[in-house]
Amino acid sequence: MQNTNDIILKAINKSYQKGDNTVVVHDDFNLTIKSGEFVALMGPSGLGKSTLLHLMGGLDQPTQGEVLIGGQRIDNLPQKKLTQWRAENIGFIFQSHHLLPVLTAQGNVELPLALTPLNRKQRKQHASMALQLVSMSERADHYPKELSGGQEQRVAIARAIVSDPKILLCDEPTGNLDRKTADEILALLAKLNSDSGKTIVMVTHDHKAAEYASRVINLESYILSQNNSLSKNEELLQNIEPEVDDISIGASS
Amino acid sequence: MSNSFEHSLSYIEQFFINVKQAQALTVINFKSFPQRFAASLVSILSIGCVAAVILSVLAMTEGMMKTLAQSGLDNTVLIMRAGAVSELQSVMFPAEMNILANNSKVIRDAEGQAQVSAEMFVNAEVNFTDTSGQQVSKSLALRGISATTMKFRPNFKLVSGQLFTTGVRQLLIGQAIARRMPELSVGENITLGGAQWQISGIFSDDNSVFESELWADIGMVQSDYQRGNTIQSVRLALNNIDDLVSLEKEWQDDPRLNIRVITEKQFFAEQGESLTRLIRWLGFPVALVMALGAMVAALNTMYAAIASRSKEIATHKAIGFSPFAISTSILCEAVLIALVGGVSGILPLYLVFDGWTAATQNANSLSQMMFNFDINLKLIAQSMALALLIGLLGGLLPAFKAMRLSVTEALRD
Ligand SMILES: Nc1ncnc2c1ncn2[C@@H]1O[C@H](COP(=O)(O)OP(=O)(O)OP(=O)(O)O)[C@@H](O)[C@H]1O
Ligand SMILES: [Mg+2]
């Protein structure tokens, strides 16, 4: 139990104080994502999908509630430990790749390994392996400006997985790509999920993208169903069978 | 994965990890520096200007100190009227000189002659025709010297012409003057205080301050400037300079003497100090204002740099780079800008001005004294240190801002 990588958001409240106004983004929000799942998180803009992703990755802290990953609370970790934890456990993939233009694909992928005790040669090896996983080995020496959008996103994925994190958090990873390229990227993510056992949480607006996931959460109806359920907290904490958590679009448990 | 996290890193380990991270980011920043060179140009140039100004001031004062330090022998004592700050203000009488010369601690030659030199020192209004035929007037230091004076100047060399003839209106001009005023060549006539003098020769004295003087027979100077038989200063050489303290006491107690006793070296050092102070008082405030301006420029450049790279920085944070590493790399970049700026200010100055002769007004004699810019490694290092400091200070706030940058906000917009 403790060694798995379940992501548990427990009674999350996230709000922003703007002068006298309090903007509540999430209130008493609960969600469990099992280790090894590929979850697509959908829903209208502004509902707090990115916010959830940031909370799971320790980029943001909840106003109230707990974020547990693999049994460990990360919402109250001191900044230094959190940074280190993130380097070891989380890979982020964003809509824009944010690759460094002055580094080659290889250099970009090697960058996160500067955070590990690996030596130069090992770093090279790991980066090459990651590039191979995303089928970009031939382009290792190319600079981002010499790559297509899809290729850049592949490199960004390689960068996210190079330190072998168990969890990948993707915020609209195919938002900038055409259908064909998007499908390639999604297939790649599905492969990383099935072959390498990565737990993936992907925010997307694309219904076709969601088809690649093992579970789709429509945030709007999920929140509704949560509010209708009276004993939701206990349910979430005690019932760990997939059927209970598997809330499909529009349905309530 | 949580178990890998259970061991807590020691502070030292943590520090080295941070340094390694900062190094990785700094290398990247440096690689992209050529692309941002144009955007950093204002900072680079303004830091360069500050470095150049500071180096000029330092080099000028350093050259001055060096020139003055070369101007005195170790065992030479300068005697002036009590209270006189410079030779110009001093008046002495032959009788006083005789008392001084008779002291047994003064060096004597084989014939028993004491090594004592009586000297006049006046500000001369010099009129001559320059190369373009223009009538020009300059204020130059004129020293009336006696036969023994040369013994105090072992580095004295005639560069051209010959010594002046005693009892005639002839003079020698120092090499520093000759270099700046080429029309003053051997054989030319110039007007000093209404009388015609002929240039008999040009001399050098190992770059000492005397190279900025005119030398003539003391008798001629006394009569032309209506000084009767008074003199202004006396130089004497001691067998042992350690005797000076007791000797000074002896002379101060002598009711016939009312004099100031100082080693020649000390005298020039004091003059140098007052000049140095003057130049620094004028130069440093200017440099300070410029330094502040350069700091603001560096601040601006770095703010712009992190603003344009906020997503990049956020990505680094998301990947797991520590805020410390990120801000350190920003600081390093600011220092790099300062380094380039420093070089851009110092190098041209070094190439053009090292050894260049600069003229300053001697604060005491108001005569033209020629000095060398002396640019050495110490001064370059000092100017560069200042440039780097400006970069560091200018980068501090932007680095802090990058450290505080909120990842979620940067990624959202
Ligand atoms: N700093 C902030 N201050 C106030 N409100 C904020 C702040 N940051 C985010 N919000 C609000 O939080 C809400 C959720 O934002 P979030 O980015 O998570 O939405 P999203 O579901 O990812 O939207 P999209 O699909 O457009 O990306 C939004 O309504 C946004 O206005
Ligand atoms: Mg979003």
Side-chain angles (χ1 to χ4, degrees), chain A residues 61-98:
Chain A
Q61 275 67 44
T63 315
Q64 268 170 33
E66 295 178 9
V67 180
L68 288 124
I69 310 243
Q72 167 167 24
R73 269 188 77 172
I74 61 150
D75 56 282
N76 57 2
L77 278 181
Q79 204 44 246
K80 264 187 194 166
K81 293 200 162 187
L82 188 61
T83 305
Q84 190 194 336
W85 172 84
R86 198 158 54 226
E88 289 172 10
N89 297 296
I90 304 287
F92 280 102
I93 299 159
F94 302 109
Q95 181 171 358
S96 330
H97 50 79
H98 304 316

Coordinates of all heavy atoms in Angstrom, one line a residue, chain A residues 61-98:
Chain A
Q61 N 0.1 24.7 -3.4 CA -0.3 24.1 -2.2 C -1.8 24.4 -2.0 O -2.3 25.5 -2.3 CB 0.5 24.7 -1.0 CG 1.8 24.0 -0.8 CD 2.8 24.2 -1.9 OE1 3.0 25.3 -2.3 NE2 3.4 23.1 -2.3
P62 N -2.6 23.5 -1.4 CA -4.0 23.7 -1.2 C -4.2 24.7 0.0 O -3.3 24.8 0.8 CB -4.5 22.3 -0.8 CG -3.3 21.6 -0.3 CD -2.1 22.1 -1.0
T63 N -5.3 25.4 0.0 CA -5.6 26.3 1.1 C -5.9 25.4 2.3 O -5.5 25.7 3.4 CB -6.8 27.2 0.7 OG1 -6.6 27.7 -0.6 CG2 -6.9 28.3 1.7
Q64 N -6.6 24.3 2.0 CA -6.9 23.3 3.1 C -6.9 22.0 2.4 O -7.0 21.8 1.2 CB -8.3 23.6 3.6 CG -8.4 24.5 4.9 CD -9.8 24.9 5.2 OE1 -10.7 24.1 5.0 NE2 -10.0 26.1 5.7
G65 N -6.8 20.9 3.3 CA -6.8 19.6 2.8 C -5.4 19.0 2.6 O -4.4 19.6 3.0
E66 N -5.4 17.7 2.1 CA -4.1 17.0 2.1 C -3.9 16.5 0.7 O -4.8 16.0 0.0 CB -4.1 15.9 3.1 CG -4.2 16.3 4.5 CD -4.3 15.1 5.5 OE1 -4.1 14.0 5.0 OE2 -4.5 15.4 6.7
V67 N -2.6 16.5 0.3 CA -2.2 15.8 -1.0 C -1.3 14.7 -0.6 O -0.2 14.9 0.0 CB -1.5 16.8 -1.9 CG1 -1.1 16.1 -3.2 CG2 -2.4 18.0 -2.3
L68 N -1.8 13.5 -0.9 CA -0.9 12.3 -0.5 C -0.5 11.6 -1.8 O -1.3 11.3 -2.6 CB -1.7 11.3 0.4 CG -2.0 11.8 1.8 CD1 -3.5 11.8 2.0 CD2 -1.3 10.9 2.8
I69 N 0.8 11.3 -1.8 CA 1.4 10.6 -3.0 C 2.2 9.4 -2.4 O 3.1 9.6 -1.6 CB 2.2 11.5 -3.9 CG1 1.5 12.7 -4.2 CG2 2.7 10.7 -5.1 CD1 1.2 13.0 -5.6
G70 N 1.8 8.2 -2.8 CA 2.4 7.0 -2.2 C 2.4 7.0 -0.7 O 3.4 6.6 -0.1
G71 N 1.4 7.6 -0.2 CA 1.2 7.5 1.3 C 1.9 8.7 2.0 O 1.8 8.9 3.2
Q72 N 2.6 9.5 1.3 CA 3.3 10.6 1.9 C 2.6 12.0 1.6 O 2.2 12.2 0.5 CB 4.7 10.7 1.3 CG 5.4 12.0 1.7 CD 6.9 12.0 1.4 OE1 7.4 11.2 0.6 NE2 7.6 12.8 2.1
R73 N 2.5 12.8 2.6 CA 1.9 14.1 2.4 C 2.9 15.0 1.8 O 4.0 15.1 2.3 CB 1.4 14.7 3.8 CG 0.0 14.3 4.1 CD -0.5 15.1 5.3 NE -0.8 16.5 5.0 CZ -1.3 17.3 5.9 NH1 -1.6 16.9 7.1 NH2 -1.6 18.6 5.6
I74 N 2.5 15.6 0.7 CA 3.5 16.5 0.1 C 3.0 18.0 0.2 O 3.8 18.9 -0.1 CB 3.7 16.2 -1.4 CG1 2.4 16.4 -2.2 CG2 4.3 14.9 -1.6 CD1 2.6 16.8 -3.6
D75 N 1.8 18.2 0.7 CA 1.3 19.6 0.7 C 2.0 20.4 1.8 O 2.0 21.6 1.8 CB -0.2 19.6 0.9 CG -0.7 18.8 2.1 OD1 -0.7 17.6 2.0 OD2 -0.9 19.5 3.1
N76 N 2.5 19.7 2.8 CA 3.2 20.4 3.9 C 4.7 20.3 4.0 O 5.3 20.5 5.0 CB 2.5 20.0 5.3 CG 2.6 18.5 5.5 OD1 3.2 17.8 4.7 ND2 2.1 18.1 6.6
L77 N 5.2 19.8 2.9 CA 6.7 19.6 2.8 C 7.3 21.0 2.7 O 6.8 21.9 2.0 CB 7.1 18.8 1.6 CG 7.0 17.3 1.7 CD1 7.5 16.7 0.4 CD2 7.9 16.8 2.8
P78 N 8.5 21.2 3.4 CA 9.2 22.4 3.2 C 9.7 22.5 1.7 O 9.9 21.5 1.1 CB 10.4 22.4 4.1 CG 10.5 20.9 4.5 CD 9.1 20.3 4.4
Q79 N 9.8 23.8 1.3 CA 10.1 24.0 -0.2 C 11.3 23.2 -0.7 O 11.2 22.7 -1.8 CB 10.3 25.6 -0.3 CG 10.1 26.1 -1.7 CD 8.8 25.6 -2.4 OE1 8.9 24.9 -3.4 NE2 7.7 26.0 -1.8
K80 N 12.3 23.2 0.1 CA 13.6 22.5 -0.3 C 13.3 21.0 -0.6 O 13.7 20.5 -1.6 CB 14.6 22.6 0.7 CG 15.6 23.7 0.5 CD 16.7 23.7 1.5 CE 17.5 25.0 1.5 NZ 18.3 25.1 2.7
K81 N 12.6 20.4 0.4 CA 12.3 18.9 0.2 C 11.4 18.7 -0.9 O 11.5 17.7 -1.7 CB 11.7 18.4 1.5 CG 12.7 18.4 2.6 CD 12.3 17.5 3.7 CE 13.4 17.2 4.7 NZ 13.1 16.1 5.6
L82 N 10.4 19.6 -1.1 CA 9.4 19.5 -2.1 C 10.1 19.5 -3.5 O 9.8 18.7 -4.4 CB 8.4 20.6 -2.0 CG 7.2 20.5 -2.9 CD1 6.4 19.2 -2.6 CD2 6.3 21.7 -2.7
T83 N 11.0 20.4 -3.7 CA 11.8 20.5 -4.9 C 12.5 19.2 -5.3 O 12.4 18.7 -6.4 CB 12.8 21.7 -4.8 OG1 12.1 22.9 -4.5 CG2 13.4 21.9 -6.2
Q84 N 13.1 18.7 -4.2 CA 13.9 17.5 -4.4 C 12.9 16.3 -4.7 O 13.2 15.5 -5.6 CB 14.7 17.2 -3.1 CG 15.7 16.1 -3.2 CD 16.2 15.8 -1.9 OE1 16.1 16.6 -0.9 NE2 16.6 14.5 -1.7
W85 N 11.8 16.3 -4.0 CA 10.8 15.2 -4.2 C 10.3 15.3 -5.6 O 10.2 14.2 -6.3 CB 9.7 15.4 -3.2 CG 8.5 14.5 -3.4 CD1 8.4 13.2 -3.0 CD2 7.4 14.8 -4.2 NE1 7.2 12.7 -3.4 CE2 6.6 13.7 -4.2 CE3 6.9 15.9 -4.9 CZ2 5.3 13.6 -4.8 CZ3 5.7 15.9 -5.6 CH2 4.9 14.7 -5.5
R86 N 10.1 16.5 -6.1 CA 9.5 16.6 -7.4 C 10.5 16.1 -8.5 O 10.1 15.4 -9.4 CB 9.2 18.1 -7.7 CG 8.3 18.3 -8.8 CD 7.6 19.7 -8.7 NE 8.5 20.7 -8.6 CZ 8.4 21.7 -7.7 NH1 7.4 21.8 -6.9 NH2 9.3 22.7 -7.6
A87 N 11.8 16.4 -8.3 CA 12.8 16.0 -9.2 C 12.8 14.5 -9.3 O 13.1 13.9 -10.3 CB 14.2 16.5 -8.8
E88 N 12.6 13.8 -8.2 CA 12.7 12.4 -8.1 C 11.4 11.7 -8.6 O 11.4 10.6 -9.1 CB 13.0 11.9 -6.7 CG 14.4 12.2 -6.3 CD 14.6 11.9 -4.8 OE1 13.8 11.3 -4.2 OE2 15.7 12.3 -4.3
N89 N 10.2 12.3 -8.4 CA 9.0 11.6 -8.6 C 8.0 12.0 -9.7 O 7.1 11.3 -10.0 CB 8.2 11.6 -7.3 CG 9.0 10.9 -6.2 OD1 9.2 9.7 -6.3 ND2 9.5 11.6 -5.2
I90 N 8.2 13.2 -10.1 CA 7.2 13.8 -11.1 C 7.8 14.2 -12.4 O 8.9 14.8 -12.4 CB 6.5 15.0 -10.4 CG1 5.9 14.7 -9.1 CG2 5.5 15.6 -11.4 CD1 4.6 13.8 -9.2
G91 N 7.2 13.9 -13.5 CA 7.6 14.4 -14.7 C 6.4 15.3 -15.2 O 5.3 14.9 -15.2
F92 N 6.7 16.5 -15.6 CA 5.7 17.4 -16.2 C 5.8 17.6 -17.7 O 6.9 17.6 -18.3 CB 5.9 18.9 -15.6 CG 5.3 19.0 -14.2 CD1 6.2 19.0 -13.1 CD2 4.0 19.2 -14.0 CE1 5.7 19.1 -11.8 CE2 3.5 19.3 -12.7 CZ 4.3 19.3 -11.6
I93 N 4.7 17.6 -18.3 CA 4.6 17.9 -19.7 C 3.6 18.9 -20.0 O 2.4 18.8 -19.5 CB 4.3 16.6 -20.6 CG1 5.3 15.5 -20.3 CG2 4.1 16.9 -22.0 CD1 4.8 14.1 -20.6
F94 N 4.0 20.0 -20.6 CA 3.0 21.2 -20.8 C 2.6 21.3 -22.2 O 3.2 20.7 -23.1 CB 3.7 22.5 -20.3 CG 4.1 22.4 -18.9 CD1 5.5 22.4 -18.5 CD2 3.2 22.4 -17.8 CE1 5.9 22.3 -17.2 CE2 3.6 22.4 -16.5 CZ 5.0 22.3 -16.2
Q95 N 1.7 22.2 -22.4 CA 1.2 22.4 -23.8 C 2.3 22.9 -24.7 O 2.6 22.4 -25.7 CB 0.1 23.4 -23.7 CG -0.5 23.7 -25.1 CD -1.8 24.6 -25.0 OE1 -2.3 24.9 -23.9 NE2 -2.4 24.9 -26.1
S96 N 3.0 23.9 -24.1 CA 4.3 24.3 -24.9 C 5.4 23.6 -24.2 O 5.4 23.4 -23.0 CB 4.5 25.8 -24.7 OG 3.3 26.5 -24.6
H97 N 6.3 23.2 -25.0 CA 7.4 22.3 -24.6 C 8.4 23.0 -23.6 O 9.0 22.4 -22.8 CB 8.1 21.7 -25.8 CG 8.5 22.7 -26.8 ND1 9.6 23.5 -26.6 CD2 8.0 23.1 -27.9 CE1 9.8 24.3 -27.6 NE2 8.8 24.1 -28.4
H98 N 8.6 24.3 -23.9 CA 9.6 25.1 -23.1 C 11.0 24.5 -23.1 O 11.7 24.4 -22.1 CB 9.2 25.2 -21.6 CG 7.8 25.9 -21.5 ND1 7.4 27.0 -22.2 CD2 6.8 25.6 -20.7 CE1 6.2 27.3 -21.8 NE2 5.8 26.5 -20.9

